[in-house]
Amino acid sequence: LLVRFTRNCPWGKCAFCRSYKQKQFEKRTLAEIKEDIDIIRKIRDEIVALSWEKDFGGVINDNLIDHIFSIPTYNEYFKSIAIWLYFGGKNVFIQDANSLVMKPGDFIGALAYLKKQFPSIDRVTSYARARTIAKRLSVDDLVKMRQAGLTRLHIGLESGSSALLGYMNKGVTKEEHIECGRKVKESGIELSEYVVLGLGGKKWWKEHATETADALNRINPDFIRFRTLKVLRDMPLYGKVESGDFVILHEEEILIEEKYLIERLEGINSTIKSDHILNLLEEVDGKLPEDKERILAVIDGYFSLNDEQRLVYRFGRRAGMYRKISDLQDELTYLRIKKTIK
């Protein structure tokens, strides 16, 4: 379930980001948020009533979902809430990019009201900006948010290099990231840190990997989520690429950077996730420290392939046909891709 506490991003200046550009940031009032939650509750009650009407005993089952999706008059909001209830009504994501910039009391009040209206909720997740937590929130604020229902925060670390963060106009330093991460961990809220592979380009890839590993070692987040840089025309970074100031790494160079970074992760028990289509190797996934050697072996396994196999895999991955290296063993798909490349 998506519930919007704020609109857009209060920063919106990162060179590698295209979201929220030219859009005004807004803090929604507690009354507005509660009104949205009341509407969601009303729709929930209508769906349960419909289940009773259709003799399904108030249960949101396959037959009810089929019925709802077969009726054109039910809009997308109604359908999305029905699907959420079908899967247990347990998970909520608070929108948009940095809702913790709200007054702590308002954020906590909105969370408490959401949990009151939907007791089935057991996980509430939100994005947050590191500088907001480092400079504006105390550990006690975060503890109260956890007690009100907030279970996980996603933070865009992106890089541990203060110089690179400045170049990308991230508006935060390495030390502020570390302060934020440690506060979140101390509060008992789960912490997921995003790292952008390739963000250092050809000039700064080693500094990016080294400083990012150091920051992660000092934070020890619950999750480290890798995302691979993709530079699009409507990003500020694109101008730096055109001018030659920023040189994009080849995909295989990004894997070398990724391996270099992972090798330097020490003394932490984070879970590494590569769950995004832009990542070349989705199998770089596991728990530190016990899975570290296996994770590194995935990258080594890719480089043990011959030139043709690596090209076919990259094409297949970008075409959405491959998810893991062993998919290369599908001879028919391999031949189709090889023919297409030719």
Side-chain angles (χ1 to χ4, degrees):
L1 182 72
L2 303 178
V3 183
R4 177 169 275 123
F5 281 20
T6 58
R7 291 190 181 92
N8 305 318
C9 177
W11 180 249
K13 300 175 184 177
C14 299
F16 54 85
C17 180
R18 66 198 293 251
S19 303
Y20 312 116
K21 293 290 186 287
Q22 313 303 321
K23 295 178 182 177
Q24 183 178 352
F25 175 75
E26 297 177 41
K27 293 181 185 178
R28 305 187 72 216
T29 67
L30 181 56
E32 286 178 317
I33 297 167
K34 285 184 173 181
E35 185 179 356
D36 277 2
I37 294 168
D38 287 340
I39 292 169
I40 296 166
R41 176 59 193 240
K42 182 180 177 183
I43 293 172
R44 177 260 179 204
D45 292 345
E46 288 179 13
I47 292 168
V48 172
L50 182 63
S51 174
W52 282 104
E53 181 185 315
K54 296 295 180 182
D55 294 327
F56 301 140
V59 176
I60 317 311
N61 57 22
D62 290 346
N63 291 330
L64 182 65
I65 294 296
D66 288 343
H67 170 74
I68 289 171
F69 274 76
S70 70
I71 307 297
T73 52
Y74 291 131
N75 64 27
E76 293 306 311
Y77 305 108
F78 195 95
K79 292 175 182 177
S80 67
I81 293 169
I83 289 293
W84 177 62
L85 294 171
Y86 174 78
F87 285 105
K90 295 180 180 297
N91 300 331
V92 174
F93 194 92
I94 303 301
Q95 297 174 288
D96 274 333
N98 184 24
S99 289
L100 267 66
V101 77
M102 294 170 62
K103 291 179 181 178
D106 286 349
F107 186 88
I108 291 164
L111 275 184
Y113 192 72
L114 179 65
K115 290 276 286 186
K116 179 183 176 182
Q117 292 294 80
F118 296 97
S120 63
I121 293 171
D122 61 16
R123 191 175 80 185
V124 179
T125 309
S126 180
Y127 288 130
R129 182 165 156 73
R131 187 174 174 85
T132 298
I133 293 174
K135 298 301 182 185
R136 296 185 54 176
L137 297 177
S138 66
V139 173
D140 186 55
D141 289 328
L142 293 167
V143 168
K144 289 175 180 175
M145 290 176 183
R146 175 178 59 78
Q147 291 170 342
L150 183 63
T151 54
R152 182 184 296 173
L153 285 171
H154 291 281
I155 307 289
L157 172 66
E158 329 302 9
S159 176
S161 164
S162 285
L164 185 55
L165 290 168
Y167 179 83
M168 294 294 175
N169 203 19
K170 177 71 179 172
V172 65
T173 65
K174 176 182 180 179
E175 293 305 318
E176 287 168 340
H177 269 305
I178 293 167
E179 183 182 355
C180 161
R182 287 176 169 174
K183 280 184 175 180
V184 174
K185 289 285 290 182
E186 187 179 344
S187 75
I189 296 171
E190 280 190 339
L191 176 62
S192 179
E193 296 276 7
Y194 286 84
V195 172
V196 180
L197 300 173
L199 194 65
K202 285 189 181 289
K203 288 184 190 176
W204 305 294
W205 75 267
K206 189 169 284 189
E207 177 184 342
H208 172 45
T210 303
E211 293 296 314
T212 301
D214 179 63
L216 292 168
N217 288 339
R218 291 166 65 183
I219 296 170
N220 190 17
D222 296 281
F223 297 93
I224 298 168
R225 282 187 154 83
F226 288 126
R227 297 290 185 263
T228 300
L229 179 68
K230 173 74 173 176
V231 184
L232 301 172
R233 290 179 182 273
D234 53 357
M235 293 178 181
L237 185 57
Y238 187 81
K240 297 179 185 291
V241 173
E242 279 198 312
S243 69
D245 193 52
F246 185 87
V247 181
I248 298 171
L249 290 172
H250 184 276
E251 288 202 289
E252 294 191 340
E253 293 175 317
I254 290 175
L255 289 184
I256 293 169
E257 174 197 274
E258 184 176 29
K259 182 182 178 184
Y260 191 88
L261 191 162
I262 294 170
E263 286 173 339
R264 281 152 183 78
L265 294 175
E266 299 290 347
I268 60 176
N269 54 9
S270 308
T271 296
I272 291 175
K273 304 296 291 183
S274 295
D275 49 352
H276 197 276
I277 189 62
L278 287 181
N279 296 334
L280 187 61
L281 297 179
E282 190 176 339
E283 295 167 278
V284 175
D285 188 287
K287 186 81 163 59
L288 297 175
E290 55 265 36
D291 295 332
K292 183 175 179 179
E293 294 307 313
R294 179 185 59 77
I295 291 168
L296 292 171
V298 171
I299 300 174
D300 290 337
Y302 170 84
F303 282 110
S304 71
L305 301 172
N306 62 40
D307 290 348
E308 179 188 282
Q309 289 170 326
R310 297 203 309 273
L311 177 60
V312 168
Y313 177 79
R314 292 199 305 274
F315 189 102
R317 176 66 176 161
R318 294 307 170 217
M321 302 167 77
Y322 286 160
R323 293 195 66 178
K324 51 189 183 297
I325 294 172
S326 60
D327 290 340
L328 288 167
Q329 296 171 11
D330 181 342
E331 293 183 10
L332 182 60
T333 302
Y334 187 100
L335 291 172
R336 284 174 56 206
I337 293 173
K338 186 177 173 182
K339 182 179 179 182
T340 304
I341 290 171
K342 189 175 181 179

